Amino acid sequence: MRGKRFGTGLSLAAGALAVCGLAFAPTAAAVDPGTATVNADCGSYGGGDATLTATQSGTSATITLKTSSVTAPVSIGRDSLVSQLTMVKAGGGTVVFKGTKNPAMSTGDALEVGPLTGTVASGDSLEAYGGTLKVTAFGFITITCTATGPQAPGPFVFD
């Protein structure tokens, strides 16, 4: 009987620890929507639909952008593009996402940059329309893209 009580006590203790661990575990912040589409004009480099994907961890957020409307004119090495995405904040102001992250791209591949990192506050509502994306390759070729209308299904709202 003594072994059975010991096993039961051990099980209860493990269960209590698991519940405490869940209670004190950091919660994952959510972005709504997690993915949005925007139509962008990139001047002589092209334009069309681009997909933006946002994530959040506390006040740190990332956005990745991919578009087949703008393609790599030459092979581009991994993490060799310098990118800056400026998003417009509801109520005024902007939030800038920066980074040098990108996959390796062969000639003709869809342009993809990110994750680009930025700082957000709870309740921030960010929209690509009115902002810009600047991508610099090889230190001297800069592509500037602007949205031609609001992103769909709507702005990113951060927890």
Side-chain angles (χ1 to χ4, degrees), residues 15-154:
L17 282 174
V19 168
C20 287
L22 286 174
F24 294 107
T27 57
V31 181
D32 187 38
T35 302
T37 303
V38 66
N39 189 283
D41 177 8
C42 300
S44 61
Y45 293 97
D49 285 343
T51 301
L52 298 118
T53 304
T55 64
Q56 178 185 4
S57 178
T59 60
S60 179
T62 65
I63 296 182
T64 301
L65 181 138
K66 185 172 184 174
T67 179
S68 58
S69 300
V70 177
T71 58
V74 295
S75 292
I76 297 173
R78 180 175 187 251
D79 299 337
S80 63
L81 298 175
V82 177
S83 303
Q84 178 175 308
L85 174 64
T86 302
M87 302 281 288
V88 176
K89 198 185 232 186
T94 59
V95 175
V96 176
F97 293 83
K98 296 179 181 181
T100 57
K101 297 290 185 191
N102 64 273
M105 291 174 258
S106 298
T107 303
D109 282 355
L111 176 66
E112 182 174 348
V113 295
L116 308 177
T117 58
T119 303
V120 295
S122 181
D124 275 356
S125 177
L126 303 181
E127 167 72 60
Y129 186 52
T132 59
L133 170 68
K134 291 184 181 181
V135 180
T136 303
F138 310 112
F140 63 92
I141 299 171
T142 300
I143 301 169
T144 302
C145 302
T146 57
T148 60
Q151 65 191 47

